[in-house]
Amino acid sequence: MTTPPLITGLDAIVHGGDYNPEQWPEEVWHEDVQMMREAGVNLVNLGMFSWALLEPEEGVFTFDRLDRILDLLHEAGIRVGLATPTAAPPAWLLHHYPGVRPQTSTGQTLFGAARQTLCPSSPDYARAAERITEQLARRYADHPAVALWHVHNEYGGAMPACYCEVSAEAFRGWLQKRYGRLDVLNNAWGTTFWGQSYGAWEQITPPRQAPTAINPALQLDFLRFCNDAHLQCYRRERDIVRRHAPNTPITTNFMIVNCKWIDYWSWADEVDIVANDHYLQAEEEDNHIELAMAADVTRGLAGGRPWLLMEHSTSAVNWQPRNLAKRPGEMRRNSLAHVARGADGVMFFQWRASRFGAEKFHSAMVPHNGRRGRVWGEVVDLGRELGELSELRGSTVRADTALIWDWQSWWAMELEWRPTCDHTYLERFRAFYTWLWRTHRTVDVLPPEADLSGYRMVVVPSLYLTTPAAAEELTRYVRAGGTVVVSYFSGIVDANDAVHPGGHPGALRELLGVEIDEFLPLRDGESVHLDNGVSGTVWSERIVLTGAERVLSYTDGPAAGGPAVTRNTVGAGQVWYVSTRPDPDGLRAVLDEIAPPPVVDGLPEDVEVLRRTSDRGSFLITVNHTGKEVDVPARGVDLVDGTRVEQTLTVPAEGVRVLREEGTD
Ligand code: GAL
């Protein structure tokens, strides 16, 4: 099935970027629009940080510049994602209403002259944000250039949590709704520990800096509250926009996987289009794998439907320790790798490189040397190519493996005083993802309680916090014949970070058919060995088999002689458990035993092959990250150059080819 266009009236793959014309004199705008046309730009995000210009004094609005730029873009046929500018509170707001300034957990106030200086619970901020949003929405709801509303920018990005007194009061209100009665909260939070019981709601404070470890249940709830506080800010603006512009899609930009603090599963249904910002860790050699992972998580949030890459960079960013420039061709590969994983739009931060301000060394679509810049040529080429790939729009990616992703496990697992500081959420998720990527297995990323029917395999890399509902769904799936792989330190606690009763791995004990008698984390740099020669680091444990069979054993280390990898047969399916962190080859050896064969086999590891399908046909997207040309078995027509491929698609070194397939169902 072909899904409807991401953006009504924009019948092409989206191409464009954040546009900040307020940084430039008006004569440059005309050149901008001309160059946008040359680059095939069809959407720009406007007004993101313009609050101070649109409302220079409280209640005084100046829209004439925005009127002119919108009209100019409209005349040129360029559509606009109009932003609410509330991520950049103006100086007058912070000056007149000091309560808008957020506070850190040590009680320090954060000041302005930056962006995101805001307390999401501040009533003064709410009132001001509401007012500017109302003005913008009323004025521009029917402007023919506006195709999308872009609410705020990266909620929680710079300012995930505010600990001020107003936030504390809002947190208490949130807790009252969640728990109703104080004894219920005391019980849920285990406040008998260290005598932390509360006798009145007013006694509860956010997890401000304390002499030692703070109640983890309180910390978890505070993170949930902060997520909800940001979500409430989003909803407030979205609902105002919706009232004025009921037929225009509304979104905000996510930051997957770089933002730990927002539980995007709770946001996914609140946006009309899932939009993501993704920036490579420039120094990582295999950062294209992390890109693929972010794209897959984004597609998961979009429920498999096409999504929008709202921001990435044409070349270097400016905020990493060493901001390596992308090499020629890399931006194209990055862009099309996102498209391969379901993006129906490729946008950048930003259109024209700033001359001043904190981001002047960040790359852009138009570099400082304008048309002479290398990047400009690639931007124009990309625009042309995205135009040729129009048929891909609305197609969806097919995957046969599911991977469970959970922000709340991430939060809970990385609170202080865990068995080891070496076990981190992203590291385990990435290790399993990398193996799937390298073996050409396409994955769907799902939340813990999702329906797993239909997948050939489900991988659970790190589900420290496991609810009964998540455990039940995994069990149901295995019973019905599915294969599950679970990594260590999963199933351990409930939603309040309380250990599930009866011993580890708690919620998954019965399903895995093992009991963990003791966690046996390893010293820094220490490794243990399994009887197939694989080595493990970071973690081991003493496992008692209660139904599962032993597949591999520890030959040394604190669990020597005990099971290391187990398999339990439950109903018609099987569940595997990996109790250490195998080296990458070891993980691969273990997993190759378990997993059904990949759909595509025999290709070099660093070549991505994805399939998107729709009513228009089946499309094969191949991204070659190697320095050598690669042959991929395929039949069809190249969407860009029209060449016919009979048997073998030759993908140039570091190149990308997209084929409309023939002879597939
Ligand atoms: C994003 C942000 C943009 C820009 C970009 C730079 O996180 O939304 O406004 O700052 O980073 O990489």
Side-chain angles (χ1 to χ4, degrees):
M1 207 194 78
T2 310
T3 62
L6 264 191
I7 296 174
T8 329
L10 220 174
D11 216 12
I13 293 189
V14 176
H15 179 46
D18 286 2
Y19 182 32
N20 298 307
E22 62 277 7
Q23 296 174 16
W24 298 92
E26 288 204 27
E27 47 290 6
V28 177
W29 300 0
H30 293 274
E31 188 190 36
D32 282 335
V33 167
Q34 171 56 31
M35 289 176 83
M36 285 176 192
R37 291 174 62 114
E38 287 169 35
V41 164
N42 51 28
L43 185 79
V44 292
N45 293 311
L46 205 59
M48 205 100 60
F49 304 112
S50 299
W51 194 348
L53 300 169
L54 299 173
E55 190 181 1
E57 282 173 55
E58 184 169 4
V60 176
F61 299 96
T62 52
F63 289 120
D64 46 317
R65 280 167 67 93
L66 188 53
D67 288 349
R68 288 202 296 284
I69 188 74
L70 273 166
D71 291 347
L72 189 66
L73 289 162
H74 177 58
E75 279 158 29
I78 295 159
R79 309 302 301 276
V80 170
L82 190 57
T84 63
T86 51
W92 59 257
L93 183 67
L94 300 174
H95 181 71
H96 293 314
Y97 302 95
V100 173
R101 302 173 193 159
Q103 266 178 26
T104 65
S105 65
T106 53
Q108 249 183 326
T109 299
L110 300 178
F111 293 92
R115 63 176 168 183
Q116 286 207 3
T117 304
L118 63 95
C119 161
S121 302
S122 154
D124 294 326
Y125 172 73
R127 211 176 328 105
E130 236 169 62
R131 189 173 46 220
I132 183 70
T133 304
E134 176 74 35
Q135 289 285 331
L136 276 168
R138 190 186 313 152
R139 187 173 186 95
Y140 298 113
D142 298 321
H143 195 288
V146 178
L148 174 72
W149 283 85
H150 181 310
V151 171
H152 201 86
N153 187 64
E154 295 190 336
Y155 278 98
M159 230 303 301
C162 174
Y163 296 77
C164 75
E165 208 31 59
V166 170
S167 297
E169 191 50 37
F171 178 42
R172 290 188 280 266
W174 185 93
L175 290 169
Q176 282 176 9
K177 263 201 203 131
R178 184 173 174 91
Y179 294 105
R181 293 200 327 260
L182 208 50
D183 60 319
V184 180
L185 173 140
N186 275 314
N187 190 39
W189 282 10
T191 53
T192 48
F193 178 82
W194 281 355
Q196 294 170 347
S197 314
Y198 297 101
W201 293 99
E202 300 70 60
Q203 295 165 6
I204 303 173
T205 51
R208 295 181 178 133
Q209 183 99 2
T212 185
I214 296 174
N215 185 333
L218 181 160
Q219 294 197 61
L220 258 185
D221 270 346
F222 185 66
L223 291 172
R224 293 184 181 117
F225 156 75
C226 292
N227 175 71
D228 289 359
H230 290 295
L231 185 52
Q232 203 183 330
C233 289
Y234 166 75
R235 285 189 186 130
R236 182 168 56 228
E237 294 180 29
R238 179 203 58 194
D239 293 349
I240 294 171
V241 172
R242 179 89 77 218
R243 193 155 31 78
H244 291 283
N247 301 318
T248 311
I250 306 172
T251 193
T252 185
N253 43 349
F254 296 170
M255 291 163 285
I256 298 153
V257 292
N258 294 327
C259 180
K260 175 175 173 182
W261 306 116
I262 300 287
D263 179 355
Y264 290 115
W265 289 125
S266 65
W267 288 63
D269 289 342
E270 305 273 348
V271 293
D272 296 328
I273 296 171
V274 168
N276 195 41
D277 298 349
H278 183 263
Y279 291 95
L280 289 177
Q281 293 302 321
E283 285 188 73
E284 272 176 25
E285 301 259 335
D286 58 358
N287 54 19
H288 50 275
I289 302 181
E290 196 264 354
L291 180 155
M293 183 172 112
D296 282 342
V297 179
T298 308
R299 192 179 71 254
L301 284 158
R305 284 179 296 281
W307 51 276
L308 178 62
L309 178 64
M310 189 67 101
E311 290 179 25
H312 72 150
S313 68
T314 55
S315 187
V317 299
N318 66 312
W319 41 265
Q320 293 177 10
R322 283 163 289 274
N323 296 296
L324 308 192
K326 291 189 182 175
R327 302 296 180 243
E330 191 175 351
M331 181 272 276
R332 170 176 182 250
R333 271 199 314 287
N334 293 164
S335 301
L336 297 179
H338 282 290
V339 170
R341 291 175 192 274
D344 265 6
V346 177
M347 303 187 77
F348 295 89
F349 173 83
Q350 61 176 333
W351 165 251
R352 187 182 277 277
S354 306
R355 280 191 47 236
F356 41 78
E359 299 190 307
K360 57 185 166 293
F361 297 123
H362 197 292
S363 60
M365 298 171 84
V366 181
H368 287 293
N369 58 346
R371 284 191 178 84
R372 293 193 306 283
R374 168 191 74 80
V375 163
W376 172 248
E378 292 200 17
V379 165
V380 172
D381 290 347
L382 179 70
R384 192 178 316 117
E385 189 162 1
L386 292 174
E388 309 282 355
L389 298 179
S390 214
E391 272 185 71
L392 276 178
R393 252 178 331 102
S395 57
T396 50
V397 177
R398 259 193 267 158
D400 56 6
T401 300
L403 196 53
I404 305 296
W405 170 277
D406 183 28
W407 274 274
Q408 300 206 12
S409 263
W410 186 0
W411 299 344
M413 206 185 84
E414 294 182 5
L415 295 174
E416 61 272 75
W417 292 9
R418 291 349 198 177
T420 171
C421 63
D422 295 326
H423 178 47
T424 56
Y425 183 81
L426 273 187
E427 187 286 329
R428 262 315 69 192
F429 189 89
R430 232 180 124 162
F432 279 83
Y433 183 88
T434 299
W435 163 74
L436 290 158
W437 189 94
R438 290 198 182 285
T439 55
H440 308 288
R441 289 175 167 101
T442 307
V443 300
D444 278 345
V445 176
L446 301 177
E449 296 174 9
D451 179 0
L452 302 170
S453 317
Y455 289 98
R456 296 209 299 174
M457 180 172 66
V458 175
V459 181
V460 185
S462 220
L463 200 61
Y464 165 72
L465 187 163
T466 305
T467 60
E472 268 162 38
E473 177 53 24
L474 282 165
T475 308
R476 192 201 59 74
Y477 166 78
V478 177
R479 268 190 207 296
T483 302
V484 170
V485 186
V486 178
S487 176
Y488 63 87
F489 213 40
S490 294
I492 307 297
V493 298
D494 67 14
N496 291 311
D497 200 47
V499 166
H500 283 293
H504 307 307
L508 299 177
R509 198 172 54 233
E510 213 176 301
L511 174 63
L512 294 174
V514 298
E515 184 174 320
I516 297 156
D517 182 41
E518 231 180 345
F519 301 137
L520 301 168
L522 304 176
R523 292 191 172 83
D524 187 20
E526 182 182 359
S527 42
V528 291
H529 295 88
L530 314 191
D531 51 2
N532 65 344
V534 162
S535 69
T537 52
V538 175
W539 194 272
S540 67
E541 45 197 24
R542 187 175 309 112
I543 294 177
V544 178
L545 300 174
T546 55
E549 57 187 304
R550 171 196 299 248
V551 178
L552 293 172
S553 302
Y554 289 104
T555 58
D556 55 12
V565 175
T566 64
R567 176 177 53 212
N568 196 24
T569 302
V570 179
Q574 290 194 326
V575 53
W576 295 68
Y577 181 59
V578 182
S579 71
T580 185
R581 183 192 289 185
D583 58 61
D585 288 345
L587 181 64
R588 189 166 177 164
V590 170
L591 290 169
D592 280 346
E593 286 282 303
I594 304 174
V599 182
V600 193
D601 217 348
L603 287 177
E605 277 184 11
D606 276 311
V607 176
E608 296 182 76
V609 179
L610 275 293
R611 183 167 280 135
R612 289 185 62 166
T613 55
S614 73
D615 296 345
R616 297 194 183 102
S618 172
F619 305 93
L620 199 71
I621 303 133
T622 52
V623 187
N624 182 358
H625 298 280
T626 76
K628 290 196 182 127
E629 143 182 318
V630 167
D631 286 342
V632 177
R635 193 158 168 252
V637 176
D638 186 303
L639 275 191
V640 176
D641 62 22
T643 52
R644 175 163 291 281
V645 172
E646 290 302 343
Q647 263 184 341
T648 308
L649 174 71
T650 303
V651 191
E654 300 187 331
V656 183
R657 288 191 71 184
V658 184
L659 214 63
R660 185 186 327 98
E661 292 185 289
E662 284 170 1
T664 52
D665 321 318

